[in-house]
Amino acid sequence: MGITREGRHKRRETGGRRAKFRKKRKFELGRPASMTKIGEPRIHMVRGRGGNTKFRALKLESGNFSWGTEVCTRKVRVLDVTYNASNNELVRTKTLVKGGIVLIDAHPFKTWYEAHYGVKIGLKKSSATAEREQPLVDLSDKSDLVKKKLKGRQANRTLETALDVQFSSGRLLAKITSRPGQTGRCDGYILEGPELAFYQKMMAKK
């Protein structure tokens, strides 16, 4: 039997049975889930109704992820699936779906931040007495204009402690916002603020 999206086999809201007056139709069809995994990219094209195409990603290893507060987007590697609100089985099988929480490589964002602000981040603190301020990048070979520009940027700079800790591990928590099985892409954004705290709390529960 084919997969169908019709609802005529369901009872009425009042509990009565519906009449079976027709068979399945082509426009009511459904397709198997793509169950996108992490690996070397493998994307199939699927012809849909009206000649439209879908891109069924069977395997993906990278995507465009955005750092909202810094307005910075980079193509980064997806390393692992850590949480999924709908189904723990998707975490166990490392399946990429919209709304899933994944670990991504922090290096491209760290490189950009240090070049943009002239400040080193993600350094492991040796003790509680370690300096709160991040050390500055060596600017001896930069021009006075560049030094002035970086100094201006540093004045209003803020970096969340939870993010700084993640940068030291080289991995960031991010949320997938695209639909890998429909668009063939795995894009999303880095978790920050209350949303990051919420998902960290949920992961600690498990």
Side-chain angles (χ1 to χ4, degrees), residues 16-119:
R17 286 185 180 277
R18 284 204 180 98
K20 281 186 174 180
F21 64 86
R22 77 172 189 204
K23 293 185 179 179
K24 293 177 181 178
R25 296 289 189 264
K26 172 82 164 129
F27 56 79
E28 293 170 342
L29 68 78
R31 298 187 186 88
S34 64
M35 305 301 277
T36 311
K37 300 291 187 283
I38 299 171
E40 191 179 340
R42 187 165 175 230
I43 300 165
H44 286 182
M45 264 180 64
V46 178
R47 184 194 182 276
R49 188 166 163 82
N52 295 306
T53 52
K54 292 184 177 185
F55 298 93
R56 183 82 77 239
L58 305 176
K59 284 186 177 182
L60 288 172
E61 63 182 1
S62 62
N64 292 321
F65 284 85
S66 173
W67 186 356
T69 54
E70 295 295 342
V71 196
C72 169
T73 303
R74 291 288 178 272
K75 184 177 180 180
V76 293
R77 285 187 307 122
V78 178
L79 304 172
D80 196 9
V81 180
T82 56
Y83 181 75
N84 194 302
S86 63
N87 192 352
N88 282 335
E89 195 70 6
L90 298 176
V91 179
R92 190 184 67 79
T93 56
K94 301 192 188 309
T95 305
L96 301 173
V97 293
K98 181 177 177 176
I101 307 300
V102 294
L103 275 177
I104 60 171
D105 182 22
H107 186 69
F109 291 105
K110 186 177 178 181
T111 306
W112 172 84
Y113 193 94
E114 290 177 355
H116 186 73
Y117 287 105
V119 174

Side-chain angles (χ1 to χ4, degrees), residues 106-203:
H107 186 69
F109 291 105
K110 186 177 178 181
T111 306
W112 172 84
Y113 193 94
E114 290 177 355
H116 186 73
Y117 287 105
V119 174
K120 288 187 177 179
I121 58 168
L123 299 173
K124 288 186 168 68
K125 303 287 189 292
S126 56
S127 64
T129 58
E131 288 184 12
R132 303 289 292 177
E133 294 292 320
Q134 276 105 348
L136 300 178
V137 174
D138 182 29
L139 301 174
S140 57
D141 58 337
K142 303 290 183 187
S143 67
D144 291 340
L145 184 67
V146 171
K147 287 177 184 176
K148 185 181 176 183
K149 185 167 66 174
L150 291 176
K151 194 175 180 182
R153 286 174 182 169
Q154 288 165 11
N156 303 317
R157 183 189 70 85
T158 54
L159 180 65
E160 200 179 332
T161 311
L163 271 182
D164 197 22
V165 171
Q166 287 186 68
F167 273 116
S168 64
S169 69
R171 296 178 170 202
L172 294 170
L173 285 170
K175 188 173 187 175
I176 299 172
T177 53
S178 67
R179 302 171 70 194
Q182 307 288 321
T183 62
R185 300 170 69 94
C186 181
D187 300 339
Y189 62 90
I190 293 170
L191 294 177
E192 301 176 83
E195 193 177 13
L196 172 60
F198 169 77
Y199 282 114
Q200 284 178 329
K201 188 174 76 176
M202 296 304 287
M203 282 184 267

